[in-house]
Amino acid sequence: MAAQQNGDSHPHEDDPDYNPHVSASRWRHQESSAYRRHAGHHGAAREPVFSDPSTGALASFLNTSRIDPPEDPNVGGNFQPITVAITQPDGVEAKDDGRGDPQADGKEIVCGPLLNYRRMEQNRWYGSVLVVVKGGGTKILYQPSLVLRRGGGASSVRAGAPEGFEASNGSARPDKTQGAHFEAQRLYSDTRNTFWVFEIDVPIEVDEVKYEYAIPDIRYSSHHKPRVNSFFVPAANESMRVMFHSCNGFSVGTDEEAFSGAPLWRDVMRQHDKAPFHVMLGGGDQIYNDGIRVNGPLRKWTDIGNPKKRAEYPFSESLRAECDDYYLKNYIRWYNSEPFALANGQIPQVNIWDDHDIIDGFGSYVDSFMRCDVFRGIGGTAHKYYMLFQHHLPPPVSTYTSDHLDANGDDTRVDPLQLIDTFVAEPRLGSQYIRGTKPGPYVAEHSINLYSRLGARMALLGIDARTERTRRQVNYPETYEVIFERLRHELSSAASSDRPIKHLILLLGIPIAYPRLTWLENIFRSPIIGPIKFLNRRFGVGGGLFNQFDGSVDLLDDLDDHYTAKTHKAERRMLIEELQGIAAEYSVRVTILGGDVHLAALGRFYSNPSLKLPAERDNRYMVNVVSSAIVNKPPPQAVANLLARRNKIHHLNEHTDETLLDLFNKDPGESNKTADHNHCTMPSRNYAMLTENSPNGLGMNGTAAAAGIRGENHHNSEDHHQSFVGRDGHSELHEGEVHAGTTHRAASDAHGHASDGSLDIRINVEIDQHSAEGHTEPYGLTVPLLSYDKAAASTTTQRAPEVFELPPQEATTTAMVTSARQ
């Protein structure tokens, strides 16, 4: 729309630089041809304005601009044909319709750099660096490059330019110092932004090495992001120092100022300065996208009161474009926000996703509702940006819309509307990924699970527990088969080498050794809820009790999310028994990481005391580190105390028990967060650290451990091991659990400084939510190596293999998979 209408005068009509053709819409990505002609003679175009948080005008514009002009040869105008490119090769320019931002030159980074760890193989470390730049489309505006060099001092570089780099106009460029140069590969580009990835690799050396990297000749949209970043690669004979986090964002309606934002990332960087983390594992909810239904494009859909009408609501191309814009902007905002932005460029990330990376509860609502157009649509759109931001991988060529269905309801064909002025790279997965055998039921993509070596004697197995999730399953049986086939291959290969795997870290999106709330599930599913639900629909009674989507009890989707839910009981048992078999087969200690529940806890599986197995020889002894949330608010104290009351000894099977450890001997600082009886659940924000006590005698900083540093928590005599035999899980099960909590060696500066090959675990718990510095109090314990004795184990009765079969009501295969190979 022109700025002047009906001949009205304009206050700037006497200004020689005034452009009368400027658009009145601040969200226009393309000005009129008259504007461009005028701008060409009268100086540079104006800067865009980003003060309006809505996306409706943008979505309307994008969709109306996709309408071709009439095929009447008599119709004039300056129309330029639209170019569609699916996989236009890098360096090959396609036609450009001029819709891109006239100020974009491809040199302004709006998000990043984001650093990922990929894998180790053949004595090389492989990673990637992602940057998102302003502007794009099918035409390359500018192709950046990255300079990587060995660093100097031991501390991280926060700002300015280190030796070997010189600062210039807010960027860093290399001087004559030699360094490796990496060219960017284009993953995805549309008229808004271009995603560039640098695939980097460095040799693994005898000693730990610090590397520094910079991207020359570019500008940053934010001042707080370092122009030079650094990361650390472990020594060849050492394992990685690991940081684990989950729930990295706020739920809708949280008073973020009351929690001082995200201060625990400052504590992460303080720990990183003391002894650098080699990798940080994201256990899901790396971003919260729930606002899409509150102040985003799904608000109109959410406000529909009738569940049937809500389920039938179409996910049109215009709504997809609005949702796409929401996810993109939310990722850019969060990943570029302090203090998280400092960490994500200096500690290599490995992530799996969970529901909030899509929307709260995704996958755990009733099947008929999960298959509605809107959920299928946002599932695909969220997956697109999950692939780009969290894995540095090309997204699918197009995602689901109800507009692009054939007569059979098939949406697998490429949607040409989504490819207008858009480049999408060819799909590729690195060797660290384990691809699911078929698409998920609601996200029409294959799950991407992962296996990566974490240095000399540790490995990571990450299970994508969201892509295939329904209310009655977490993963397909076939997916477990390919995951464990790959795992056995990797562990077998390592066992025949000079660096066998001693610790296997399993990364899950949800806890698996956690108190049951079956009684609460039974209440929410009981007939007494029916009348209340009717009154809610008709009169709004009990409004806070029911969710905004399928009308079920609001807490039910959270309960159904847990492995301990009744609907996941058989699958959970199968998974644990399979891990027990692998632990025995390769004498590898399994430690499980899980988040989601917004509090800290430490669960353990272990052999029934009647079997008389010391933990050091017990393949069933597995710790589940529950660390959540690093940003989101914790649950009320009453909820944590209720969970502690439910901390009973449960029986997974006749040979395996489970319960939580009393890890929290005191509340953090001087606070009073829990009841006197509660020493096993901590309702405070937190994150975890895991460090191998190197058998090479090297401490956290790669130096020889001081004499006597092993301390009172390590005794290796067989008699001492036997002293714990026969205890149940309400007692310490081995020496590493004695004095677990704030007085344990693993909670002190001696963390990771012992030399017996065990694994130190530390949960850092926030002391004061009102402090912007995010100081924490540490709670520690040690997990022993596993020395599995097949002869001793053969004296115990082994149970018959469990058969895991998906419930018949799920629209998925009913193939079966057998459990643990004892």
Side-chain angles (χ1 to χ4, degrees):
M1 183 184 296
Q4 291 176 279
Q5 299 180 22
N6 303 324
D8 293 341
S9 61
H10 194 283
H12 299 288
E13 60 184 0
D14 296 329
D15 185 350
D17 294 325
Y18 170 66
N19 187 341
H21 309 290
V22 66
S23 169
S25 172
R26 293 178 173 179
W27 282 110
R28 291 292 294 266
H29 274 199
Q30 173 193 359
E31 299 291 354
S32 66
S33 56
Y35 176 91
R36 290 199 303 275
R37 287 195 299 270
H38 183 93
H41 295 288
H42 294 275
R46 62 180 172 86
E47 287 288 338
V49 179
F50 295 99
S51 58
D52 185 359
S54 69
T55 58
L58 171 62
S60 300
F61 166 73
L62 288 176
N63 286 285
T64 55
S65 66
R66 290 178 172 180
I67 301 175
D68 291 340
E71 296 183 0
D72 185 349
N74 297 320
V75 176
N78 295 313
F79 169 75
Q80 291 179 315
I82 294 173
T83 300
V84 176
I86 299 177
T87 55
Q88 191 78 16
D90 283 352
V92 177
E93 295 185 358
K95 292 182 179 180
D96 180 27
D97 71 349
R99 274 186 17 195
D101 189 329
Q103 296 295 315
D105 58 2
K107 292 186 176 183
E108 181 180 341
I109 293 180
V110 296
C111 188
L114 308 176
L115 177 64
N116 271 21
Y117 166 65
R118 295 205 183 279
R119 65 189 184 277
M120 286 181 170
E121 58 187 34
Q122 298 180 343
N123 292 318
R124 294 195 74 83
W125 179 100
Y126 292 86
S128 61
V129 175
L130 179 81
V131 292
V132 185
V133 302
K134 182 179 178 182
T138 56
K139 182 179 179 180
I140 295 177
L141 299 175
Y142 174 76
Q143 184 171 1
S145 61
L146 179 145
V147 179
L148 177 70
R149 66 179 290 273
R150 289 171 114 259
S155 61
S156 301
V157 176
R158 297 299 184 84
E163 182 181 355
F165 293 93
E166 59 181 20
S168 176
N169 297 324
S171 66
R173 59 180 66 188
D175 63 10
K176 297 179 181 179
T177 303
Q178 294 295 318
H181 290 251
F182 295 87
E183 294 300 321
Q185 302 174 41
R186 190 166 50 148
L187 294 179
Y188 176 84
S189 182
D190 57 29
T191 54
R192 300 165 299 175
N193 298 105
T194 300
F195 290 76
W196 293 103
V197 66
F198 303 93
E199 300 285 353
I200 60 176
D201 63 283
V202 297
I204 300 171
E205 303 182 25
V206 174
D207 298 316
E208 180 182 64
V209 178
K210 175 185 177 182
Y211 285 92
E212 295 162 345
Y213 68 92
I215 303 170
D217 302 320
I218 49 84
R219 304 183 304 275
Y220 285 76
S221 62
S222 60
H223 297 291
H224 59 263
K225 190 75 176 185
R227 276 40 177 174
V228 178
N229 287 275
S230 60
F231 63 94
F232 290 78
V233 174
N237 287 319
E238 299 304 321
S239 298
M240 289 187 176
R241 292 184 289 271
V242 177
M243 177 263 183
F244 167 63
H245 69 93
S246 67
C247 302
N248 182 36
F250 285 107
S251 298
V252 170
T254 303
D255 184 354
E256 299 181 17
E257 291 187 3
F259 289 88
S260 306
L264 262 64
W265 285 110
R266 292 188 172 90
D267 196 68
V268 169
M269 295 310 296
R270 284 192 292 268
Q271 297 296 332
H272 185 62
D273 285 342
K274 292 179 182 178
F277 295 114
H278 297 119
V279 66
M280 65 178 180
L281 307 179
D285 300 337
Q286 276 70 250
I287 186 171
Y288 276 61
N289 287 313
D290 305 336
I292 194 171
R293 67 175 176 84
V294 176
N295 53 15
L298 293 188
R299 175 62 186 267
K300 180 178 179 181
W301 173 72
T302 306
D303 286 344
I304 297 174
N306 188 313
K308 185 175 184 295
K309 291 182 179 179
R310 195 182 305 120
E312 294 172 349
Y313 197 86
F315 193 74
S316 63
E317 167 56 23
S318 60
L319 182 55
R320 183 210 63 81
E322 290 182 82
C323 291
D324 188 286
D325 207 52
Y326 179 91
Y327 281 106
L328 171 64
K329 289 178 178 177
N330 200 37
Y331 262 104
I332 290 175
R333 176 192 65 83
W334 184 247
Y335 273 70
N336 220 35
S337 299
E338 284 192 292
F340 177 47
L342 183 61
N344 61 40
Q346 302 200 32
I347 309 175
Q349 305 170 73
V350 177
N351 298 317
I352 60 171
W353 68 341
D354 205 30
D355 57 337
H356 293 282
D357 297 278
I358 310 170
I359 198 171
D360 184 23
F362 188 95
S364 291
Y365 299 110
V366 295
D367 180 72
S368 59
F369 186 70
M370 283 301 313
R371 294 182 184 276
C372 76
D373 287 333
V374 170
F375 267 18
R376 292 173 68 184
I378 63 172
T381 306
H383 179 269
K384 169 184 176 179
Y385 289 109
Y386 168 62
M387 294 287 281
L388 285 167
F389 279 95
Q390 298 197 40
H391 289 282
H392 304 180
L393 293 173
V397 175
S398 60
T399 61
Y400 176 87
T401 68
S402 52
D403 295 345
H404 188 65
L405 296 173
D406 62 18
N408 298 319
D410 181 21
D411 66 318
T412 59
R413 299 169 299 133
V414 172
D415 184 355
L417 282 179
Q418 297 181 41
L419 297 172
I420 296 173
D421 301 322
T422 298
F423 167 88
V424 185
E426 292 281 359
R428 62 178 182 267
L429 284 179
S431 59
Q432 72 273 20
Y433 289 107
I434 308 168
R435 190 170 183 261
T437 58
K438 59 184 178 181
Y442 314 132
V443 179
E445 305 296 337
H446 293 250
S447 64
I448 50 171
N449 312 279
L450 52 93
Y451 173 90
S452 285
R453 192 84 180 230
L454 299 180
R457 290 166 297 277
M458 290 171 58
L460 169 71
L461 176 66
I463 296 181
D464 176 351
R466 189 56 54 178
T467 302
E468 299 171 1
R469 173 181 288 275
T470 71
R471 203 167 191 172
R472 297 182 179 273
Q473 76 171 32
V474 180
N475 289 100
Y476 296 135
E478 299 92 333
T479 296
Y480 286 117
E481 287 183 332
V482 297
I483 287 174
F484 288 118
E485 179 182 3
R486 169 67 179 277
L487 179 59
R488 281 188 163 85
H489 170 75
E490 296 288 351
L491 294 178
S492 178
S493 298
S496 61
S497 72
D498 58 350
R499 293 172 187 161
I501 300 299
K502 295 298 183 181
H503 291 279
L504 175 66
I505 308 301
L506 175 62
L507 181 61
L508 299 175
I510 47 180
I512 199 165
Y514 195 68
R516 281 112 166 105
L517 291 175
T518 305
W519 60 277
L520 195 55
E521 291 182 70
N522 291 336
I523 291 175
F524 288 160
R525 287 193 169 94
S526 70
I528 65 172
I529 291 295
I532 302 176
K533 187 181 294 187
F534 172 78
L535 292 173
N536 171 260
R537 288 198 303 265
R538 294 296 299 270
F539 307 109
V541 175
L545 184 62
F546 301 94
N547 68 57
Q548 295 292 314
F549 295 139
D550 65 349
S552 299
V553 177
D554 193 34
L555 282 176
L556 198 53
D557 67 286
D558 291 317
L559 296 175
D560 285 339
D561 253 4
H562 292 184
Y563 278 107
T564 51
K566 290 191 340 184
T567 52
H568 300 317
K569 184 177 180 180
E571 184 175 358
R572 174 181 182 265
R573 177 169 165 173
M574 178 281 302
L575 175 56
I576 294 301
E577 290 175 347
E578 187 75 16
L579 292 168
Q580 291 174 349
I582 286 174
E585 189 174 349
Y586 299 99
S587 194
V588 60
R589 178 67 72 196
V590 177
T591 298
I592 306 169
L593 306 179
D596 181 70
V597 293
H598 301 176
L599 52 73
L602 201 291
R604 306 109 87 220
F605 296 98
Y606 55 93
S607 286
N608 188 302
S610 64
L611 298 178
K612 305 292 185 182
L613 276 177
E616 291 79 4
R617 299 183 183 278
D618 184 5
N619 64 307
R620 299 182 185 90
Y621 180 81
M622 302 176 193
V623 162
N624 182 190
V625 181
V626 181
S627 181
S628 170
I630 193 169
V631 171
N632 207 355
K633 65 179 181 181
Q637 298 176 27
V639 172
N641 294 334
L642 171 64
L643 289 169
R645 291 285 191 191
R646 304 300 302 172
N647 183 34
K648 303 180 183 300
I649 294 177
H650 298 281
H651 308 290
L652 179 80
N653 56 43
E654 61 181 312
H655 298 308
T656 309
D657 290 351
E658 57 180 289
T659 194
L660 299 181
L661 173 69
D662 283 342
L663 177 63
F664 305 103
N665 58 303
K666 63 180 291 292
D667 288 332
E670 303 301 322
S671 66
N672 183 22
K673 289 179 172 291
T674 57
D676 291 339
H677 72 270
N678 181 8
H679 298 287
C680 60
T681 61
M682 178 55 66
S684 296
R685 295 190 291 186
N686 62 90
Y687 67 94
M689 299 164 47
L690 295 87
T691 308
E692 181 196 39
N693 291 298
S694 172
N696 300 320
L698 298 182
M700 284 275 284
N701 295 307
T703 57
I709 197 70
R710 289 163 64 163
E712 72 282 356
N713 296 113
H714 290 272
H715 298 276
N716 294 313
S717 70
E718 188 65 27
D719 289 342
H720 193 79
H721 291 172
Q722 293 297 325
S723 68
F724 293 91
V725 168
R727 295 187 181 187
D728 66 35
H730 287 320
S731 303
E732 298 93 346
L733 297 177
H734 59 87
E735 187 64 30
E737 290 185 355
V738 175
H739 302 305
T742 57
T743 62
H744 194 280
R745 182 192 54 78
S748 71
D749 289 340
H751 175 97
H753 282 290
S755 57
D756 61 355
S758 60
L759 186 67
D760 275 356
I761 296 173
R762 173 170 159 178
I763 300 180
N764 296 292
V765 177
E766 183 178 41
I767 295 174
D768 180 7
Q769 72 179 49
H770 302 293
S771 170
E773 294 304 310
H775 290 289
T776 61
E777 182 148 6
Y779 300 79
L781 79 155
T782 300
V783 172
L785 277 173
L786 174 63
S787 298
Y788 185 70
D789 187 339
K790 293 183 179 179
S794 65
T795 62
T796 63
T797 302
Q798 301 299 321
R799 64 183 306 279
E802 171 78 8
V803 174
F804 166 55
E805 185 173 1
L806 294 182
Q809 58 266 53
E810 293 297 335
T812 57
T813 181
T814 57
M816 295 178 291
V817 62
T818 57
S819 75
R821 301 173 178 88
Q822 297 287 348

